[in-house]
Amino acid sequence: MPSPDPNTNSGPARDRFDALHQELRDRICLLDYAPGTRLSETVLAEEFGVSRTPMRRVLARLEAEGLLHSVQGVGTFVTDATIDELEQVYRLRMELAELSGRLAPMRPTPDQLDGFRQISNRAKALIDTPDPRAFARLIMDFFLALLALTDNAPLREISERLYFQTTRIWLTSLFDSVLDAQREYEIFNREVEDILVALEIGDMQAAAHIQRAHISMSFTRMQQGTS
Amino acid sequence: MPSPDPNTNSGPARDRFDALHQELRDRICLLDYAPGTRLSETVLAEEFGVSRTPMRRVLARLEAEGLLHSVQGVGTFVTDATIDELEQVYRLRMELAELSGRLAPMRPTPDQLDGFRQISNRAKALIDTPDPRAFARLIMDFFLALLALTDNAPLREISERLYFQTTRIWLTSLFDSVLDAQREYEIFNREVEDILVALEIGDMQAAAHIQRAHISMSFTRMQQGTS
DNA sequence: TAGGATTTGTGCGTATGTATT
DNA sequence: TAATACATACGCACAAATCCT
């Protein structure tokens, strides 16, 4: 009786849901769908070869996560954020970053350290050959790799959700030249290097505080750019 | 042109969704539906006079919030939690409680202070005339009243969600006599009194630290009762 | 092993709400 | 102001998955 583990989230329907959800979430967070964009249930359903029903389920989940907003008779829109709302989330993200290093930190495995080194190499490459979309993907990979070092599952989920809520707004500022792209590449490269040093000696709290500092400064630079 | 504010979450469909969502969430958190209970989409839809479609939307939201879990061909169940999972959430809730007093605390208005005094009176009444369900509602009202003193919207949402995830598990221990009900009533009464003192002099951080201490101790008592 | 009963998931036509002409 | 177009929300019938006999 090799019945599937009922505790895991398996099953064809759930797998399809997860795939659609992650794909749309990435498109939103990589600015394929910029804030304010209107999405069509029908068009999306046709693109992925499903009916509107399962697609609506995915869109409803993204709405619960704060990435979309649907209004009957009007449409489904990618959410935007005011500078005030964004500041609240950033203040909270700073505290949660610090928490990640204090509550249940896990020293990175050799494989994980290699992963960070690869991220560092990708960051260096971007300085010479800029690529906005590759940069968006890179900072996402870096954030998720850091998050994997936290052994508190609810904290991971919450931090991830807040990241997806805010990074696309910050990236919008970058793409709209509110921020200087070349400068941001270099700052990120430095952040990865500094955190890598802390990780290599196993000082997770130091890594967390460096991350916290960079979250704070990235918001400050965006604020100064828009003022 | 008194068109409805498009920024607010209005509309008949959304109102019905919110009403169904809150009703089911309360039933889960007040233990009308204990952990492990199987819920039927059809039965619930008939009870509230809607079709399965909007009811499924509500159930999907509750699943995203970690209160339900659906499996095709099997059913929809109220989630339970192991002591380990519960400990992770409690550790996080302790930190977030402290954060509430530090990040964006708001001094309570006179009306809010009156609300806390009424909660204190309800707590005192429960000591003489025990009522498990009234107690469950009371600690929920108290938690939400404290949460309203935090001016950081994302922190409010996250704390509320984690509260709804854990309180029903703790209440299950109480109802199963793992915890001593009379003792818990008295401890809660004392907590409300102590926090009220802090609130009356406007020391929000002190109130937050008292709350944090009680979150910690309530989990410790539950751990000791189940060991 | 097979088959039927029951459950959630899906597809599609229709109702309802909104904006524009 | 009314009508038209088009969006999401809803209801129902059916498919797919699971469990039990």
Side-chain angles (χ1 to χ4, degrees):
Chain A
M1 53 190 72
S3 66
D5 185 353
N7 290 357
T8 62
N9 291 353
S10 59
R14 189 167 299 272
D15 292 343
R16 176 164 45 187
F17 174 88
D18 290 339
L20 290 174
H21 175 265
Q22 184 174 338
E23 174 62 25
L24 287 186
R25 192 190 60 178
D26 283 358
R27 289 186 183 183
I28 293 170
C29 294
L30 299 177
L31 295 189
D32 295 329
Y33 303 142
T37 304
R38 187 171 72 79
L39 301 182
S40 165
E41 295 179 351
T42 308
V43 172
L44 286 173
E46 288 176 353
E47 175 184 349
F48 291 101
V50 298
S51 78
R52 280 183 54 216
T53 304
M55 181 55 69
R56 279 176 56 77
R57 195 180 172 108
V58 173
L59 297 178
R61 177 67 138 264
L62 292 168
E63 182 172 20
E65 294 169 351
L67 269 48
L68 294 179
H69 183 64
S70 293
V71 181
Q72 183 177 4
V74 180
T76 301
F77 301 88
V78 178
T79 53
D80 203 343
T82 66
I83 195 73
D84 291 331
E85 294 168 337
L86 207 56
E87 181 172 2
Q88 286 194 325
V89 182
Y90 263 88
R91 290 198 186 284
L92 181 54
R93 283 192 55 205
M94 287 166 51
E95 300 296 332
L96 295 183
E98 192 271 337
L99 250 186
S100 296
R102 180 160 52 85
L103 204 56
M106 292 188 296
R107 288 191 60 154
T109 66
D111 281 353
Q112 285 175 323
L113 274 179
D114 274 339
F116 283 106
R117 293 191 188 98
Q118 289 176 15
I119 288 174
S120 181
N121 290 335
R122 288 161 65 192
K124 285 186 180 64
L126 277 179
I127 293 178
D128 297 326
T129 59
D131 181 339
R133 197 191 153 90
F135 182 62
R137 176 70 74 175
L138 182 58
I139 62 174
M140 182 187 296
D141 289 344
F142 179 61
F143 179 84
L144 294 177
L146 274 178
L147 208 57
L149 302 178
T150 302
D151 199 25
N152 188 298
L155 178 56
R156 277 200 307 272
E157 292 169 21
I158 287 167
S159 298
E160 183 175 317
R161 186 175 147 183
L162 293 177
Y163 174 81
F164 286 128
Q165 277 184 17
T166 56
T167 191
R168 65 213 167 83
I169 311 295
W170 185 82
L171 285 172
T172 301
S173 295
L174 186 66
F175 287 18
D176 292 349
S177 298
V178 169
L179 295 168
D180 182 278
Q182 195 67 26
R183 183 179 171 217
E184 293 298 327
Y185 292 161
E186 290 169 1
I187 290 174
F188 176 73
N189 181 66
R190 182 67 170 268
E191 177 186 358
V192 176
E193 283 182 346
D194 290 347
I195 288 181
L196 187 51
V197 169
L199 294 180
E200 282 174 337
I201 64 175
D203 191 337
M204 311 303 295
Q205 288 205 24
H209 276 94
I210 296 170
Q211 186 188 19
R212 184 198 150 118
H214 277 275
I215 293 174
S216 176
M217 289 188 290
S218 67
F219 178 73
T220 300
R221 291 194 302 274
M222 181 174 59
Q223 251 185 330
Q224 293 173 345
T226 54
S227 64
Chain B
M1 50 191 74
S3 67
D5 184 353
N7 291 357
T8 63
N9 291 352
S10 59
R14 189 168 298 271
D15 292 344
R16 175 163 50 186
F17 174 88
D18 290 338
L20 289 174
H21 177 264
Q22 184 174 341
E23 174 62 26
L24 288 186
R25 193 189 61 179
D26 283 358
R27 288 186 184 184
I28 294 170
C29 295
L30 299 178
L31 295 190
D32 295 330
Y33 303 141
T37 303
R38 186 171 73 78
L39 301 182
S40 166
E41 295 179 350
T42 309
V43 172
L44 286 174
E46 288 176 352
E47 174 185 348
F48 291 100
V50 298
S51 80
R52 278 180 59 214
T53 304
M55 180 56 68
R56 278 175 56 76
R57 194 180 173 109
V58 173
L59 296 178
R61 177 69 139 262
L62 291 168
E63 183 172 18
E65 294 169 351
L67 269 45
L68 295 178
H69 183 65
S70 293
V71 182
Q72 182 177 5
V74 181
T76 302
F77 300 89
V78 178
T79 53
D80 203 343
T82 66
I83 196 72
D84 291 331
E85 295 168 336
L86 206 57
E87 181 172 2
Q88 285 194 326
V89 183
Y90 262 87
R91 289 199 186 284
L92 181 54
R93 282 192 56 204
M94 286 166 52
E95 299 297 331
L96 295 184
E98 192 271 338
L99 250 187
S100 296
R102 180 160 51 86
L103 203 57
M106 292 188 294
R107 289 191 60 155
T109 65
D111 281 352
Q112 285 175 322
L113 274 179
D114 274 338
F116 282 107
R117 294 192 187 99
Q118 290 175 15
I119 287 174
S120 181
N121 291 334
R122 288 162 64 190
K124 286 185 180 65
L126 277 180
I127 294 177
D128 297 328
T129 59
D131 181 339
R133 198 192 151 90
F135 181 61
R137 177 71 74 175
L138 182 58
I139 62 175
M140 181 188 297
D141 289 345
F142 179 61
F143 179 85
L144 294 177
L146 273 179
L147 208 58
L149 302 179
T150 303
D151 199 25
N152 188 297
L155 178 56
R156 277 202 306 271
E157 291 167 23
I158 288 167
S159 299
E160 183 176 316
R161 188 174 147 183
L162 293 178
Y163 174 81
F164 286 128
Q165 277 185 17
T166 57
T167 190
R168 64 214 168 85
I169 311 294
W170 185 82
L171 285 171
T172 301
S173 296
L174 186 67
F175 287 19
D176 293 349
S177 298
V178 169
L179 294 168
D180 181 277
Q182 195 66 28
R183 184 179 170 217
E184 293 298 329
Y185 292 163
E186 290 167 0
I187 289 172
F188 176 73
N189 180 67
R190 184 65 169 270
E191 178 185 357
V192 176
E193 284 182 345
D194 290 348
I195 288 182
L196 187 51
V197 168
L199 294 181
E200 282 174 336
I201 62 175
D203 192 336
M204 311 303 294
Q205 288 205 23
H209 276 95
I210 297 170
Q211 185 189 18
R212 183 197 151 120
H214 277 275
I215 292 173
S216 176
M217 289 189 287
S218 67
F219 178 72
T220 300
R221 291 195 301 276
M222 181 175 60
Q223 249 186 332
Q224 293 173 343
T226 54
S227 65

